[in-house]
Amino acid sequence: MKLDLILRIGTKLLLPFILLFALYVQFHGDFGPGGGFQAGVITAGMVILYALIFGVKAAKRIAPQGLVERMVPLGVLIYAGTGIAGLWLGSNYLDYSRLARDAPYGHELGIFAVELGVLITVAGTMTAIFYAFVDRGR
Amino acid sequence: MEALINIVLLTLLAVITVGIMFQRNLFAVVVLAGIYSFLMASVLIVLDAVDVAMTEASVGAGVSTVVLLGTLHLVRTIEYPSKRSALIPMLVAVATGAALVWGTIGLSPFGTADNAIHKHVAPKYLADSVKETLVPNVVTSTLADYRGYDTLGETTVIFTAGIGVLLLLKGRRRRGHIADEDSKVGRTA
Amino acid sequence: MEVLQRFADHYNYVVTIFLMVAGLYIVIARGNLIKKLVGLSLFQTSVYLLYIEPGKIIGGTAPIIDPAFKVYSNPLPHVLILTAIVVGVATLALGLALVVRIHEAYGTIEEDEIFSREGEE
């Protein structure tokens, strides 16, 4: 792989745009198609592309295995924690009405937090699965 | 026009499926499955499910293909012809298909607005989403707010599946004499 | 002409069921474990179609509220299927992990060979 100049440079040029697109899909998901699930998969796709071209070792420098594996439960905790926050503020589980002073803003905030949790779990899981399969082959 | 595009794309999907059925080279099967996913994403766009199409294109054609190729890297890539007769599975499949097609006769035609599915909670979500959550994309507001419990469950399933894969693949390989040591380590830990 | 119209109206259901049945056939008839899993995902994608198709309204648009549009397709099946797709790939990966472990234990992923090796032991 060391000699494939076009692949290496092309990948390096593409990576920031893939990450930017993932963030766009995540944060613009309220107004256009997209959301945590898609953004998570695109983020994982970025790591996978990097690993395919530069090797898994290099990929583990930008997305360390420990971090990726911690992201898997972290996202679920953020999601469930958003529900608990609703309980704590005196409404039902996963009811976001009281997260802000006005109910609609509370819902918007709740959706943002929940989508963030989904992003973290999905990106972490997909990358961890990829690492697991690749490491098995060596 | 929408119905026509839909018919053409669905026919292509069926053709690819036949290809997957009879192809014995597993690499070819994986590539055909990727094509299948992209076609499915196109069908979903025609059906107005843009969020789902985006997911299918990135997950079905992207991550699934990578995971399948990662597996093929570890196992043999040619499928051997099965010794069993294909007659009974074919009969089961045809009988199931016939029963299901018979069941669709009563369903309302494609694309009609008076379908039963449009009479339940969906009109409320479409009418109230912007007012209640300030989110114009109704799929996002339904996903994260109105149907938040569903999505929490699905996220937990993804978490569980990820943990399962890590448990199955992260340990040391068990082969030959290493297997005995490995099982001892497993017992003490 | 009326028969043709009727056929076009229900064609999507027929193709959906064909995909479903093809997946079922692959799962039952083929002994290769990876082929079985691909068949299982074919079955799964046919379910996506089965959910999304009734939600489509001819002349409608994607369910993103905008003053320029009046008719929207039904968002509820989209939500259910969107999550199902991501869960689908996670469970597919779990199945493939099991296939990898079976291959390490038996040296093959053909069902017939696995059964015959079980018999020898």
Side-chain angles (χ1 to χ4, degrees), chain A residues 3-83:
Chain A
L3 293 175
D4 288 334
L5 195 68
I6 295 175
L7 269 182
R8 288 157 63 87
I9 304 290
T11 309
K12 275 190 178 167
L13 283 177
L14 271 177
L15 281 180
F17 292 105
I18 297 177
L19 191 60
L20 188 68
F21 183 63
L23 291 173
Y24 167 78
V25 167
Q26 168 76 17
F27 295 114
H28 201 259
D30 292 2
F31 309 100
F37 285 98
Q38 294 91 334
V41 173
I42 294 170
T43 313
M46 184 201 72
V47 178
I48 291 171
L49 174 67
Y50 192 75
L52 289 177
I53 305 297
F54 293 95
V56 185
K57 256 190 180 163
K60 280 185 181 168
R61 276 203 300 274
I62 62 164
Q65 192 152 18
L67 173 76
V68 166
E69 281 165 16
R70 281 185 181 87
M71 278 163 71
V72 178
L74 178 69
V76 180
L77 283 177
I78 291 178
Y79 200 130
T82 313

Side-chain angles (χ1 to χ4, degrees), chain B residues 149-164:
Chain B
Y149 279 85
D150 279 12
T151 314
L152 177 61
E154 307 268 18
T155 316
T156 315
V157 172
I158 295 168
F159 161 75
T160 316
I163 298 292

